[in-house]
């Protein structure tokens, strides 16, 4: 029996519970992992808070889309992995647990230099950011505007765009400006007058990535970037498709980027392993404190990734 977190109903973090379940043995193509760290993402609470609808027939809902852990057992036809291997996985289901069964194809070896907590929080935001900078072709000669640059996805977009040679302007609250400078971005405060503040530090913005989803983020991006195909959002699935910008992720009219994201896993792990890419872990919580972890995430009081440890 293992402990795992489920949402027992639709609602706020109070619906989360730690339950005892039987994970069973890994089947063909599967691996059983002892979980060392599981990244917390907004998608986790959107799963049970009604953002994506509510279907009582699906309850209880298992949570946790990314994981770092140690292989405990491998399924019958799994090659190249053995008990004791240390790995990082995305996309998985049910990572908020002591143990979880995942598909072998989702796993990449953990470099010893990458601690467990950042390893567990690397891949969901990292692959999303990789998709975004690829989609807008951020590179040398560009000035990229990143909305929500101090967030999980935003901080990855900033770093990857810098590594590709782009200049980056990032929006954040004032408390996060120093952090943005450390990441290599020119910080600007979001809110009324944003377009003028961006122009003041960067007269020509050539591409934009929105990780926030507000009308302000979309409108300012459209105002400052001439080519709409060089504007991408990962957070506004309502207006995005009609605007002719790139809408990335899972939703109607969006590009899930399945291949580009899967291919990015290995590169991201390599870059985090040699410290070209940093996962800033803002807080770790024990599995039993999952509701507290989610409240902190929803309230936006933690800078950087929140990670659960069993
Ligand atoms: N489509 C996809 O494939 C995909 C994948 C991953 C995530 N997402 C979505 O992307 C969004 C961001 O995820 P995340 O993990 O980066 O979240 P996060 O770590 O919670 O970051 C959110 C950031 O938004 C900033 N922010 C809050 N209000 C803002 C506003 N009005 N204007 C500008 N910035 C604002 C915050 O900055 P301050 O703290 O400085 O205020 C914070 O750093 C979520 O909606 C998530 O569901 C989509």
């Amino acid at each position: 029996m293992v402990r795992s977190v489920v949402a027992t109903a639709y609602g706020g973090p109070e619906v989360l519970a730690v339950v005892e379940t039987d994970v069973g043995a890994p089947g063909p193509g599967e691996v059983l992992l002892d979980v060392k760290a599981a990244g917390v993402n907004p998608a986790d609470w959107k799963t049970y808070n009604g953002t994506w609808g509510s279907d009582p027939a699906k309850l209880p809902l298992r949570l946790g889309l990314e994981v770092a852990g140690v292989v405990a057992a491998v399924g019958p036809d799994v090659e190249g992995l053995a008990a004791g291997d240390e790995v990082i996985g995305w996309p998985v289901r049910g990572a908020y647990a002591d143990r979880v069964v995942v598909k072998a194809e989702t796993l990449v070896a953990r470099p010893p230099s990458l601690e467990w907590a950042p390893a567990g929080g690397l891949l969901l935001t990292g692959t999303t950011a990789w998709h975004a900078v690829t989609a807008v072709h951020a590179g040398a000669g560009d000035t990229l505007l990143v909305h929500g640059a101090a967030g999980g996805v935003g901080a990855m977009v900033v770093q990857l765009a810098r590594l590709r040679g782009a200049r980056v302007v990032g929006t954040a609250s004032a408390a996060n400006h120093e952090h943005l400078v450390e990441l290599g971005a020119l910080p600007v405060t979001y809110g009324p007058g944003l377009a003028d503040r961006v122009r003041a530090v960067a007269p020509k913005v050539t591409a934009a990535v929105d990780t926030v989803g507000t009308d302000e983020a979309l409108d300012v991006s459209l105002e400052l970037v001439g080519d709409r195909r060089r504007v991408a959002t990962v957070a506004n699935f309502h207006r995005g498709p009609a605007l002719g910008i790139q809408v990335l992720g899972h939703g109607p009219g969006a590009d899930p980027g399945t291949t580009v994201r899967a291919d990015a896993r290995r590169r991201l792990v390599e870059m985090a392993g040699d410290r070209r890419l940093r996962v800033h872990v803002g807080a770790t919580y024990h599995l039993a404190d999952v509701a507290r972890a989610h409240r902190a995430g929803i309230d936006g009081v933690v800078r950087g990734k929140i990670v659960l440890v069993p």
Side-chain angles (χ1 to χ4, degrees), residues 42 46 124 128 148 150-153 171-173 176 190 211-212 214 234-235 237 248-249 261:
K46 288 180 183 178
L124 192 145
T128 305
V153 178
T171 73
S173 54
N176 284 329
Y190 53 77
T211 76
V212 181
T214 54
V234 301
F237 293 79
L248 311 177
R261 293 185 189 210

Side-chain angles (χ1 to χ4, degrees), residues 116-167:
W116 284 114
L122 167 68
L123 283 183
L124 192 145
T125 56
T127 53
T128 305
W130 188 285
H131 187 194
V133 295
T134 307
V136 301
H137 305 291
D142 278 318
T143 297
L144 177 72
L145 173 61
V146 182
H147 299 276
V153 178
M156 284 287 158
V157 173
V158 171
Q159 294 179 82
L160 292 173
R162 294 289 293 137
L163 287 166
R164 290 165 65 113
R167 189 165 177 250

Side-chain angles (χ1 to χ4, degrees), residues 1-2 10 32 45 59 73 76-78 85 93 111 114 124 133 170 183 189 218 249 274:
M1 296 295 275
V2 304
Y10 288 92
L32 175 65
W45 50 83
L59 296 171
D77 59 350
V78 172
D85 286 352
R93 208 169 142 251
L114 186 60
L124 192 145
V133 295
L183 292 174
T189 306
L218 293 186
D274 66 21

Side-chain angles (χ1 to χ4, degrees), residues 19-255:
V19 296
E20 298 267 324
T21 52
D22 185 4
V23 280
E30 292 180 340
V31 171
L32 175 65
L33 293 183
D34 281 326
V35 177
K36 293 287 189 184
V40 170
N41 292 283
D44 299 336
W45 50 83
K46 288 180 183 178
T47 301
Y48 64 82
N49 75 2
T51 301
W52 293 328
S54 55
D55 178 358
K58 289 186 178 160
L59 296 171
L61 300 163
R62 295 164 71 212
L63 302 178
L65 301 167
E66 60 178 337
V67 69
V70 180
V71 174
V74 300
D77 59 350
V78 172
E79 288 176 10
L81 284 168
D85 286 352
E86 299 183 347
V87 292
I88 309 176
W90 170 88
V92 305
R93 208 169 142 251
Y96 288 13
D98 288 326
R99 286 187 144 193
V100 64
V101 171
V102 304
K103 288 189 182 142
E105 70 197 24
T106 66
L107 301 175
V108 178
R110 178 183 80 105
S113 56
L114 186 60
E115 301 286 327
W116 284 114
L122 167 68
L123 283 183
L124 192 145
T125 56
T127 53
T128 305
W130 188 285
H131 187 194
V133 295
T134 307
V136 301
H137 305 291
D142 278 318
T143 297
L144 177 72
L145 173 61
V146 182
H147 299 276
V153 178
M156 284 287 158
V157 173
V158 171
Q159 294 179 82
L160 292 173
R162 294 289 293 137
L163 287 166
R164 290 165 65 113
R167 189 165 177 250
V168 178
V169 178
T171 73
S173 54
N176 284 329
H177 283 200
E178 209 176 304
H179 182 56
L180 287 197
V181 172
E182 283 162 15
L183 292 174
L186 292 163
V188 290
T189 306
Y190 53 77
L194 174 61
D196 286 338
R197 284 193 295 282
V198 175
R199 279 193 199 94
V201 296
K204 188 166 169 53
V205 174
T206 53
V209 172
D210 162 40
T211 76
V212 181
T214 54
D215 284 335
E216 174 186 81
L218 293 186
D219 293 338
V220 169
S221 298
L222 294 176
E223 185 179 334
L224 298 179
V225 180
D227 179 356
R228 291 191 173 206
R229 296 303 294 166
R230 299 200 73 196
V231 175
T233 181
V234 301
N236 191 320
F237 293 79
H238 303 294
R239 280 183 70 201
L243 294 174
I245 64 172
Q246 301 212 46
V247 187
L248 311 177
H250 290 279
D255 169 13

